[in-house]
Amino acid sequence: DNITDEEALLEFNKYKKEFNRQQLNEFFVAHKDEEWMQDKYHPDNCQLKKAATKEAIEKRLEVFMELHTEGIIDQSRLEKKNSEKIEILLDTFVARLEGSDVVGLLDPKDQERESLCKTTSLQLRTIPPTLKREELLSLLTKYPGYLRLSLSDPSPETRWKRRGLVTYKRE
């Protein structure tokens, strides 16, 4: 063969580029109608998800700023010896995030802390990408205390399965 190393490298790079393009196209065709793909890439669904994410981030910021303004954040140092105080701070944060009107930090000995902040979360390790969120919700909401469902995008590491976290109030 009368081909130089540079020409061989150039041809190989062209081949890789075309191969990757074909792989992406095959992936798109195989998954374009699945809910997760629509949620992630369809312009209408994307905007709704972005708006919901922005709202959640703004709520977290609002709660954080409340705690900061009250001086509660400044009282907490992230050190092992302060683990109980940090747990109380995080419980207070979650309680406020979920709509509680707690003033100051929760009392560590108060029963209200138990009722406000204790939830049970279940990890769902293998969710087929074809299972729609609404189908999963219809099953999960049958059980008392349902709070929320968080789903990951499908991942090649999990053979395109999704993972989820479902949270319930402790009754």
Side-chain angles (χ1 to χ4, degrees):
D1 287 324
N2 293 335
I3 187 167
T4 67
D5 288 347
E6 291 157 1
E7 291 171 327
L9 186 59
L10 182 65
E11 288 302 315
F12 181 68
N13 284 336
K14 285 181 190 176
Y15 164 78
K16 283 195 321 186
K17 187 175 181 180
E18 179 60 21
F19 179 79
N20 286 337
R21 188 196 65 74
Q22 287 176 352
Q23 292 291 89
L24 282 172
N25 188 52
E26 288 174 19
F27 179 82
F28 176 76
V29 169
H31 299 285
K32 69 180 180 181
D33 295 326
E34 294 175 9
E35 181 184 48
W36 71 267
M37 179 73 102
Q38 297 265 331
D39 284 348
K40 190 167 179 115
Y41 297 109
H42 191 281
D44 294 338
N45 296 3
C46 246
Q47 292 304 321
L48 291 173
K49 190 171 183 176
K50 272 186 185 178
T53 299
K54 183 179 180 191
E55 184 178 322
I57 289 170
E58 287 173 349
K59 178 65 177 170
R60 285 180 176 88
L61 176 62
E62 176 187 329
V63 170
F64 175 83
M65 292 308 294
E66 286 173 5
L67 292 171
H68 179 67
T69 301
E70 293 172 27
I72 293 172
I73 298 289
D74 294 335
Q75 298 170 12
S76 305
R77 293 185 51 92
L78 290 177
E79 296 175 350
K80 186 173 182 168
K81 65 182 180 184
N82 297 334
S83 61
E84 187 175 331
K85 287 181 182 178
I86 293 166
E87 182 180 339
I88 293 166
L89 171 65
L90 292 173
D91 284 349
T92 302
F93 188 90
V94 169
R96 288 188 184 189
L97 197 59
E98 293 182 348
S100 173
D101 56 357
V102 172
V103 177
L105 283 175
L106 289 171
D107 182 344
K109 295 173 182 73
D110 193 348
Q111 290 297 327
E112 179 185 23
R113 178 174 177 227
E114 290 294 317
S115 65
L116 282 174
C117 302
K118 295 301 180 179
T119 59
T120 300
S121 294
L122 303 171
Q123 181 182 16
L124 307 173
R125 294 181 53 170
T126 307
I127 303 168
T130 54
L131 182 63
K132 293 184 177 182
R133 181 182 191 85
E134 287 182 15
E135 293 171 335
L136 190 54
L137 282 173
S138 71
L139 174 68
L140 297 172
T141 55
K142 288 180 182 178
Y143 298 95
Y146 170 82
L147 289 173
R148 64 186 153 267
L149 170 66
S150 177
L151 289 175
S152 71
D153 291 332
S155 166
E157 292 85 31
T158 60
R159 296 185 186 172
W160 302 109
K161 304 284 191 250
R162 299 189 304 182
R163 294 184 179 186
L165 191 67
V166 60
T167 305
Y168 290 91
K169 287 182 188 176
R170 287 189 191 170
E171 300 291 332

